[in-house]
Amino acid sequence: FFLCHHKVGAGAVARLIKMVLMDLSVGKVFLDSDDLLDLPSLFGTVSEDVETLVVLCTQDVLLRPYCLGEITTAYMDSVRTKPVNIIFNHPSDTFITNIDQAVDMKSLHEVGLGPETIQ
């Protein structure tokens, strides 16, 4: 499992879910604050080492570039994705169309993910 989350909105929930999954002995549970060695390998981890991406859907999860990158990478590489709706309003068509105005896309551009791919 890979727990995709916005730290402010779901950091504590992510920690709780990791502890529960580890108690259930479901295998490796990736939580960036525990397991991230370096940012460049983040999307590779999602692509190559993860069976299920768990997206903790909070108000600002889609405003975080790395969360967008994790979700997009999982989609592009057919990684099973399970949303957990905590407090989440589905994005409007306007938000999706103008994603590059709402989110700092620099870090995503560096790894080849542009607005067109994320949309």
Side-chain angles (χ1 to χ4, degrees), residues 65 68 99-101 103-110 113-116 118:
L68 285 175
I99 190 92
D100 57 334
Q101 294 172 14
V103 177
D104 178 4
M105 302 287 286
K106 183 178 186 260
S107 57
L108 296 176
H109 284 291
E110 291 172 359
L113 296 176
E116 315 79 33
I118 290 170

mmCIF file of all heavy atoms in Angstrom, residues 65 68 99-101 103-110 113-116 118:
data_model
loop_
_atom_site.group_PDB
_atom_site.id
_atom_site.type_symbol
_atom_site.label_atom_id
_atom_site.label_comp_id
_atom_site.label_asym_id
_atom_site.label_seq_id
_atom_site.Cartn_x
_atom_site.Cartn_y
_atom_site.Cartn_z
ATOM 1 N N PRO A 65 1.314 19.148 -5.445
ATOM 2 C CA PRO A 65 1.914 18.593 -6.661
ATOM 3 C C PRO A 65 2.299 17.123 -6.542
ATOM 4 O O PRO A 65 2.064 16.340 -7.463
ATOM 5 C CB PRO A 65 3.159 19.460 -6.883
ATOM 6 C CG PRO A 65 2.889 20.723 -6.152
ATOM 7 C CD PRO A 65 1.991 20.355 -4.995
ATOM 8 N N LEU A 68 -0.755 14.912 -6.804
ATOM 9 C CA LEU A 68 -1.178 14.820 -8.206
ATOM 10 C C LEU A 68 -0.271 13.884 -8.982
ATOM 11 O O LEU A 68 -0.742 13.067 -9.783
ATOM 12 C CB LEU A 68 -1.170 16.203 -8.862
ATOM 13 C CG LEU A 68 -2.289 17.148 -8.496
ATOM 14 C CD1 LEU A 68 -2.049 18.510 -9.150
ATOM 15 C CD2 LEU A 68 -3.631 16.599 -8.908
ATOM 16 N N ILE A 99 -5.759 23.625 -13.960
ATOM 17 C CA ILE A 99 -4.978 23.029 -12.876
ATOM 18 C C ILE A 99 -3.616 23.693 -12.707
ATOM 19 O O ILE A 99 -3.131 23.875 -11.601
ATOM 20 C CB ILE A 99 -4.818 21.496 -13.063
ATOM 21 C CG1 ILE A 99 -4.233 20.842 -11.818
ATOM 22 C CG2 ILE A 99 -3.967 21.161 -14.255
ATOM 23 C CD1 ILE A 99 -5.238 20.351 -10.864
ATOM 24 N N ASP A 100 -3.013 24.093 -13.815
ATOM 25 C CA ASP A 100 -1.678 24.698 -13.732
ATOM 26 C C ASP A 100 -1.701 26.095 -13.112
ATOM 27 O O ASP A 100 -0.661 26.609 -12.713
ATOM 28 C CB ASP A 100 -0.999 24.722 -15.095
ATOM 29 C CG ASP A 100 -1.801 25.448 -16.153
ATOM 30 O OD1 ASP A 100 -3.036 25.513 -16.043
ATOM 31 O OD2 ASP A 100 -1.173 25.945 -17.107
ATOM 32 N N GLN A 101 -2.876 26.690 -12.982
ATOM 33 C CA GLN A 101 -2.990 27.981 -12.309
ATOM 34 C C GLN A 101 -3.235 27.796 -10.806
ATOM 35 O O GLN A 101 -2.912 28.667 -10.009
ATOM 36 C CB GLN A 101 -4.120 28.808 -12.923
ATOM 37 C CG GLN A 101 -3.829 29.196 -14.362
ATOM 38 C CD GLN A 101 -5.026 29.848 -15.035
ATOM 39 O OE1 GLN A 101 -5.978 30.251 -14.370
ATOM 40 N NE2 GLN A 101 -4.967 29.940 -16.348
ATOM 41 N N VAL A 103 -2.094 24.996 -9.032
ATOM 42 C CA VAL A 103 -1.043 24.177 -8.425
ATOM 43 C C VAL A 103 0.307 24.559 -9.021
ATOM 44 O O VAL A 103 0.426 24.751 -10.235
ATOM 45 C CB VAL A 103 -1.306 22.672 -8.692
ATOM 46 C CG1 VAL A 103 -0.202 21.807 -8.135
ATOM 47 C CG2 VAL A 103 -2.655 22.259 -8.133
ATOM 48 N N ASP A 104 1.328 24.656 -8.176
ATOM 49 C CA ASP A 104 2.690 24.897 -8.651
ATOM 50 C C ASP A 104 3.178 23.609 -9.326
ATOM 51 O O ASP A 104 3.453 22.609 -8.663
ATOM 52 C CB ASP A 104 3.598 25.261 -7.473
ATOM 53 C CG ASP A 104 5.039 25.476 -7.887
ATOM 54 O OD1 ASP A 104 5.346 25.423 -9.097
ATOM 55 O OD2 ASP A 104 5.875 25.709 -6.987
ATOM 56 N N MET A 105 3.262 23.627 -10.641
ATOM 57 C CA MET A 105 3.528 22.427 -11.426
ATOM 58 C C MET A 105 5.017 22.178 -11.693
ATOM 59 O O MET A 105 5.364 21.200 -12.335
ATOM 60 C CB MET A 105 2.803 22.535 -12.775
ATOM 61 C CG MET A 105 1.302 22.730 -12.669
ATOM 62 S SD MET A 105 0.441 21.260 -12.168
ATOM 63 C CE MET A 105 0.523 20.311 -13.658
ATOM 64 N N LYS A 106 5.897 23.043 -11.184
ATOM 65 C CA LYS A 106 7.323 22.942 -11.509
ATOM 66 C C LYS A 106 7.889 21.551 -11.229
ATOM 67 O O LYS A 106 8.550 20.953 -12.079
ATOM 68 C CB LYS A 106 8.113 24.000 -10.726
ATOM 69 C CG LYS A 106 9.576 24.014 -11.070
ATOM 70 C CD LYS A 106 10.308 25.117 -10.305
ATOM 71 C CE LYS A 106 11.728 25.214 -10.753
ATOM 72 N NZ LYS A 106 12.683 24.577 -9.919
ATOM 73 N N SER A 107 7.644 21.024 -10.041
ATOM 74 C CA SER A 107 8.206 19.719 -9.686
ATOM 75 C C SER A 107 7.640 18.606 -10.561
ATOM 76 O O SER A 107 8.323 17.611 -10.821
ATOM 77 C CB SER A 107 7.964 19.414 -8.207
ATOM 78 O OG SER A 107 6.590 19.468 -7.913
ATOM 79 N N LEU A 108 6.417 18.763 -11.030
ATOM 80 C CA LEU A 108 5.822 17.749 -11.898
ATOM 81 C C LEU A 108 6.386 17.845 -13.310
ATOM 82 O O LEU A 108 6.633 16.831 -13.963
ATOM 83 C CB LEU A 108 4.299 17.888 -11.907
ATOM 84 C CG LEU A 108 3.629 17.642 -10.555
ATOM 85 C CD1 LEU A 108 2.135 17.893 -10.650
ATOM 86 C CD2 LEU A 108 3.901 16.236 -10.062
ATOM 87 N N HIS A 109 6.598 19.069 -13.797
ATOM 88 C CA HIS A 109 7.211 19.254 -15.117
ATOM 89 C C HIS A 109 8.582 18.597 -15.169
ATOM 90 O O HIS A 109 8.961 18.027 -16.195
ATOM 91 C CB HIS A 109 7.340 20.746 -15.453
ATOM 92 C CG HIS A 109 6.053 21.388 -15.858
ATOM 93 N ND1 HIS A 109 5.412 21.105 -17.042
ATOM 94 C CD2 HIS A 109 5.288 22.308 -15.229
ATOM 95 C CE1 HIS A 109 4.304 21.819 -17.128
ATOM 96 N NE2 HIS A 109 4.200 22.555 -16.033
ATOM 97 N N GLU A 110 9.322 18.669 -14.065
ATOM 98 C CA GLU A 110 10.672 18.104 -14.017
ATOM 99 C C GLU A 110 10.692 16.599 -14.249
ATOM 100 O O GLU A 110 11.702 16.050 -14.672
ATOM 101 C CB GLU A 110 11.337 18.437 -12.684
ATOM 102 C CG GLU A 110 11.653 19.914 -12.529
ATOM 103 C CD GLU A 110 12.147 20.273 -11.130
ATOM 104 O OE1 GLU A 110 12.239 19.384 -10.263
ATOM 105 O OE2 GLU A 110 12.416 21.477 -10.909
ATOM 106 N N LEU A 113 5.489 15.330 -16.152
ATOM 107 C CA LEU A 113 4.036 15.359 -15.981
ATOM 108 C C LEU A 113 3.544 16.790 -16.149
ATOM 109 O O LEU A 113 3.807 17.636 -15.311
ATOM 110 C CB LEU A 113 3.633 14.831 -14.592
ATOM 111 C CG LEU A 113 3.961 13.375 -14.306
ATOM 112 C CD1 LEU A 113 3.591 13.036 -12.872
ATOM 113 C CD2 LEU A 113 3.232 12.457 -15.274
ATOM 114 N N GLY A 114 2.834 17.041 -17.237
ATOM 115 C CA GLY A 114 2.294 18.359 -17.505
ATOM 116 C C GLY A 114 0.806 18.408 -17.212
ATOM 117 O O GLY A 114 0.172 17.379 -16.915
ATOM 118 N N PRO A 115 0.204 19.587 -17.325
ATOM 119 C CA PRO A 115 -1.230 19.725 -17.050
ATOM 120 C C PRO A 115 -2.099 18.809 -17.900
ATOM 121 O O PRO A 115 -3.091 18.261 -17.420
ATOM 122 C CB PRO A 115 -1.526 21.199 -17.350
ATOM 123 C CG PRO A 115 -0.241 21.871 -17.496
ATOM 124 C CD PRO A 115 0.818 20.842 -17.686
ATOM 125 N N GLU A 116 -1.707 18.614 -19.159
ATOM 126 C CA GLU A 116 -2.513 17.773 -20.047
ATOM 127 C C GLU A 116 -2.586 16.330 -19.533
ATOM 128 O O GLU A 116 -3.624 15.684 -19.625
ATOM 129 C CB GLU A 116 -1.920 17.744 -21.470
ATOM 130 C CG GLU A 116 -1.494 19.080 -22.030
ATOM 131 C CD GLU A 116 -0.142 19.576 -21.507
ATOM 132 O OE1 GLU A 116 0.781 18.784 -21.218
ATOM 133 O OE2 GLU A 116 -0.024 20.800 -21.350
ATOM 134 N N ILE A 118 -2.197 15.336 -16.352
ATOM 135 C CA ILE A 118 -2.900 15.299 -15.078
ATOM 136 C C ILE A 118 -4.400 15.483 -15.267
ATOM 137 O O ILE A 118 -5.193 14.876 -14.579
ATOM 138 C CB ILE A 118 -2.291 16.335 -14.122
ATOM 139 C CG1 ILE A 118 -0.893 15.857 -13.720
ATOM 140 C CG2 ILE A 118 -3.182 16.576 -12.907
ATOM 141 C CD1 ILE A 118 -0.079 16.842 -12.990
#
